Amino acid sequence: MEEMERRSKNFIEEIIEKDLESGRVKEIRTRFPPEPNGYLHIGHTKAMCVDFGMAEKYGGKCNLRFDDTNPTKEDVEYVDAIIEDIRWMGFDFGDRVYFGSDYSEQIYQYAVQLIKKGLAYVDDLSPEEMREYRGTLTEPGRESPYRNRSIEENLELFERMRKGEFESGEKTLRAKIDMASPNLNMRDPVIYRIKKEPHHRTGTQWCIYPMYDFAHPLQDAIEGITHSLCSIEYVDHRPLYDWFLEKLEIPNPPRQYEFARLNINYTVMSKRKLRELVEKGYVDGWDDPRMPTLRALRRRGFTPASIRNFIELNGISKTASVADWGLLEHCVREDLNKNADRVMAVLKPLKVVIENYPEDLVEEFDVENNPERPEKGTRKVPFSREIYIERDDFAIDPPPKYFRLKPGGEVRLKNAYFIKCTGYETDENGEVTLVRAVYDPASRGGESPDGRKVKGTIHWVSAKHAIDAEVRLYDKLFAVENPDDIPDGSDYKDYINPDSLIVIKGAKLEPCLKDAKPEEKFQFLRIGYFCVDNKDSKPGNLVFNRTVGLKDTWAKIASKQQAGNG
RNA sequence: UGGGAUGUAGCCAAGUUGGUAAGGCACCAGACUUUGACUCUGGCAUGCGUAGGUUCGAGUCCUGCCAUCCCAGCCA
């Protein structure tokens, strides 16, 4: 691990190392605290990498803790999904799956202690009144008329709140801090509210629930968390976090540190927007491969390693930033280049007849599975008189520097033969429908028999051996870098990339793909990385999702030429 | 007009006692190539939000200013 330490330390690592050296903590304990109210998305993986990653790196442990203090928003459906996604990412929480709701009694007792110290009171203000009393950003708030109830009265009222003697919203328990604080979080924050709603874990056992600001530091304390790592918007909450721990005299209190959350261009991360895309049918569900949810990325073919590397390369800091989707693409390419087997697939087939090749002959060529990993061996690929090539690999009137197939031109069929185009047929629209060619038997295996240079090498599939498949070409969900920052009067949904999904029905694949399994990943030679869809693909009816295309220098050259000519 | 956080290249991001701007992505130019992929080589901030100041010397210290983001849930 040490020799891999090429990058400089981030500020959290500095803090942890200092704490370890000074003996402030003996062992690192962190927590990953999702609220089970939705699916995890790639933004959450940054928190995962920080929470689990720091524990991993420094020989500590990270707890998975569901932050479930609001029964109206949470559901077990999400806890199962979240656990599955974290496991898929490869993070280890052992048997340390905790629920904030399991600490209900302890948190309640802490609240009682606060009341006894004269540091909390039961308030009768309505939500509207409370907002008025809170003041504004520039004006101090006013104290509630109920602020000075006696400790005895507060104790009694709080107990009656617990017993269900009041209706939802009728009373709250508030910390008594400072209504004039410039930090609004310190203006007597509500720490308990009445919600007569069944909770997904505790049922109807409780009708009062602690607020995040009160529950979180105490949950951390109960679990012996040493470093409570969270995102930057909680900086303003830290004084409150510390206040509770101090007033309740928690020994060796946990400390909170904040880092910037992850934003990525060409997508949206807000739960509200993601939900809208799903509910209004702009995408095909939470696991639509264009979504930034983990289930979607998984289905699209992204690997946990590539996502973790993406987070790693982006780094941890406090700067509000927008990461580049292109870097994520780079990371999967890097992973899959090393790990995905190569295979030939023709997405837009154009038939080529090799006129001097025997009618009934079938040859099998040995083709290596992955040039990056010779140990992955070879496979047999059948070849015959009629093959399919990519429509883009033939041009009647090619642009300069085009070195694929053209009339009179010669090209290498990868691992097979050189062929020379002798003619072609078109339909009434001028579309090429068939290409005629002859092969050079001496070029068997794609070798140059006489040392002649054939610059172009293209992929192909034997027509009679090809299997059909549906191929879904996915691209960025949005056509603009920042769908959250668009002109007034427009809607972010107007900027959905119309080409974010292109479905190809009649793709022709080499036969070895027949038994490809869901989530299996391949490089379609010269095209990109593809993954067997884990939902719709069935034997005999294969569906492949494009994770990402290969880098395409030719496309760049061609578009430059076009720009130059236009 | 209150408080907090943050400003280093197109995008991330190092830079810890002041000593002359790491690295990655992207991009550009070459080499190699039976994937126009991969890999390799070279290029890419007289400049660190800005204006002053201290100093032999400032991204680092001081002062002022500007910009962006967060906060007025009985959400997390």
Side-chain angles (χ1 to χ4, degrees):
Chain A
M1 224 52 268
E2 279 76 45
E3 68 278 1
M4 295 299 288
E5 186 64 55
R6 305 189 75 70
R7 67 163 173 81
S8 45
K9 286 194 261 297
N10 64 53
F11 75 97
I12 292 175
E13 292 166 329
E14 304 270 10
I15 289 166
I16 290 176
E17 289 183 18
K18 207 170 291 173
D19 286 343
L20 248 17
E21 268 168 43
S22 72
R24 195 212 127 211
V25 299
K26 286 149 291 303
E27 189 182 292
I28 297 305
R29 193 64 157 231
T30 59
R31 98 273 92 113
F32 177 62
E35 184 187 15
N37 71 341
Y39 295 99
L40 257 24
H41 57 63
I42 191 164
H44 296 114
T45 62
K46 182 171 185 180
M48 270 188 235
C49 288
V50 174
D51 295 336
F52 286 103
M54 289 301 114
E56 217 167 70
K57 177 167 182 176
Y58 293 101
K61 289 187 169 66
C62 176
N63 298 348
L64 168 57
R65 179 170 74 229
F66 287 97
D67 213 335
D68 57 350
T69 53
N70 186 348
T72 58
K73 291 192 164 184
E74 298 148 6
D75 199 283
V76 272
E77 173 197 351
Y78 297 118
V79 341
D80 297 340
I82 288 169
I83 287 177
E84 185 185 321
D85 288 343
I86 297 172
R87 290 228 167 95
W88 177 71
M89 280 294 293
F91 290 112
D92 174 43
F93 45 86
D95 55 0
R96 298 179 309 284
V97 182
Y98 303 123
F99 292 84
S101 56
D102 288 348
Y103 311 134
S104 298
E105 183 62 36
Q106 292 163 84
I107 305 285
Y108 176 85
Q109 291 305 334
Y110 277 124
V112 169
Q113 275 189 53
L114 228 41
I115 295 173
K116 286 181 176 167
K117 286 172 180 268
L119 295 172
Y121 61 98
V122 172
D123 199 353
D124 294 4
L125 251 31
S126 70
E128 299 71 40
E129 292 169 322
M130 203 177 287
R131 194 182 326 122
E132 280 173 35
Y133 274 82
R134 187 155 32 228
T136 68
L137 295 177
T138 52
E139 303 156 18
R142 290 139 51 214
E143 296 185 348
S144 165
Y146 305 96
R147 194 176 201 257
N148 294 310
R149 291 215 253 229
S150 69
I151 289 175
E152 293 66 34
E153 188 185 1
N154 281 321
L155 248 16
E156 185 205 322
L157 253 16
F158 187 48
E159 193 179 336
R160 290 175 60 198
M161 279 170 65
R162 175 181 184 166
K163 285 181 178 161
E165 293 185 22
F166 307 108
E167 293 311 307
S168 295
E170 200 178 323
K171 292 191 187 321
T172 58
L173 183 70
R174 293 229 258 168
K176 190 188 281 190
I177 308 180
D178 177 10
M179 288 307 291
S181 172
N183 181 345
L184 302 225
N185 295 305
M186 301 300 272
R187 318 242 264 227
D188 288 13
V190 171
I191 60 178
Y192 260 95
R193 74 288 214 191
I194 302 170
K195 275 179 187 279
K196 294 193 164 175
E197 301 280 346
H199 184 275
H200 67 102
R201 298 204 91 229
T202 57
T204 54
Q205 199 180 332
W206 292 85
C207 65
I208 57 172
Y209 295 91
M211 297 287 288
Y212 167 88
D213 281 321
F214 185 59
H216 208 86
L218 299 173
Q219 293 165 353
D220 284 346
I222 290 167
E223 291 181 13
I225 300 303
T226 56
H227 301 260
S228 189
L229 310 171
C230 63
S231 47
I232 209 83
E233 65 265 32
Y234 289 100
V235 170
D236 287 343
H237 296 247
R238 188 172 357 114
L240 230 199
Y241 184 97
D242 292 337
W243 189 88
F244 289 125
L245 295 172
E246 185 205 321
K247 299 303 179 192
L248 290 167
E249 299 171 63
I250 303 293
N252 303 313
R255 289 189 192 168
Q256 173 181 299
Y257 298 97
E258 312 84 10
F259 57 90
R261 56 194 309 161
L262 177 69
N263 299 297
I264 305 183
N265 57 18
Y266 298 103
T267 189
V268 292
M269 222 76 102
S270 99
K271 221 161 261 184
R272 197 206 102 229
K273 286 177 179 166
L274 294 177
R275 184 184 313 284
E276 187 180 17
L277 293 172
V278 171
E279 287 176 353
K280 296 193 176 164
Y282 289 93
V283 296
D284 201 24
W286 289 95
D287 60 352
D288 182 301
R290 291 167 289 182
M291 293 281 277
T293 55
L294 287 186
R295 337 179 64 66
L297 293 170
R298 175 179 184 170
R299 191 174 168 197
R300 170 99 167 244
F302 286 92
T303 59
S306 67
I307 295 171
R308 289 175 71 157
N309 192 229
F310 168 69
I311 300 294
E312 174 74 22
L313 292 181
N314 267 306
I316 308 299
S317 74
K318 302 174 92 119
T319 318
S321 61
V322 182
D324 192 354
W325 177 264
L327 182 61
L328 213 210
E329 294 187 334
H330 163 81
C331 291
V332 234
R333 284 194 192 102
E334 187 178 63
D335 184 4
L336 264 18
N337 175 51
K338 193 77 196 292
N339 297 309
D341 282 354
R342 272 60 168 171
V343 97
M344 291 196 285
V346 175
L347 266 30
K348 292 182 213 144
L350 172 60
K351 188 173 275 186
V352 176
V353 178
I354 301 162
E355 297 181 300
N356 61 339
Y357 195 86
E359 291 268 358
D360 299 318
L361 181 61
V362 173
E363 288 181 273
E364 285 192 321
F365 294 106
D366 288 310
V367 176
E368 63 183 341
N369 288 321
N370 186 343
E372 305 284 323
R373 306 268 294 268
E375 73 276 15
K376 299 208 66 177
T378 61
R379 67 182 185 286
K380 302 279 189 195
V381 181
F383 181 83
S384 62
R385 187 172 196 260
E386 297 191 352
I387 59 170
Y388 292 112
I389 65 168
E390 212 67 63
R391 297 202 85 89
D392 289 348
D393 287 340
F394 176 77
I396 300 170
D397 184 21
K401 290 188 190 150
Y402 181 91
F403 42 85
R404 277 111 101 142
L405 196 60
K406 57 190 174 191
E410 189 172 41
V411 81
R412 171 167 34 238
L413 296 175
K414 171 87 176 165
N415 288 106
Y417 290 107
F418 290 172
I419 57 170
K420 182 177 283 183
C421 174
T422 54
Y424 58 91
E425 295 172 10
T426 57
D427 62 15
E428 59 278 11
N429 301 319
E431 278 293 296
V432 179
T433 54
L434 184 80
V435 171
R436 300 187 184 284
V438 292
Y439 83 116
D440 175 3
S443 65
R444 194 170 195 286
E447 308 282 353
S448 186
D450 51 8
R452 72 179 183 270
K453 285 284 179 202
V454 172
K455 183 94 167 148
T457 300
I458 64 175
H459 60 280
W460 51 275
V461 173
S462 168
K464 74 167 112 173
H465 302 92
I467 57 175
D468 288 334
E470 176 177 330
V471 175
R472 298 172 181 170
L473 302 177
Y474 290 104
D475 203 345
K476 299 180 179 78
L477 217 204
F478 286 91
V480 294
E481 272 203 49
N482 187 356
D484 292 321
D485 181 24
I486 50 177
D488 286 343
S490 65
D491 186 290
Y492 76 99
K493 300 190 291 305
D494 300 338
Y495 297 90
I496 290 176
N497 176 8
D499 296 325
S500 61
L501 170 58
I502 293 170
V503 178
I504 289 177
K505 293 287 190 182
K508 301 291 184 182
L509 276 44
E510 73 170 81
C512 73
L513 251 11
K514 180 163 52 72
D515 299 316
K517 301 286 179 293
E519 296 189 8
E520 211 175 333
K521 295 158 182 68
F522 299 92
Q523 182 195 101
F524 286 1
L525 218 68
R526 300 208 304 132
I527 302 177
Y529 294 99
F530 292 78
C531 172
V532 179
D533 190 76
N534 63 13
K535 202 171 177 181
D536 300 333
S537 191
K538 300 284 179 307
N541 192 8
L542 294 170
V543 178
F544 284 85
N545 298 327
R546 179 173 70 189
T547 309
V548 65
L550 250 32
K551 285 214 269 186
D552 191 349
T553 304
W554 169 243
K556 211 177 282 180
I557 295 169
S559 74
K560 252 183 225 168
Q561 288 177 349
Q562 200 128 49
N565 297 337

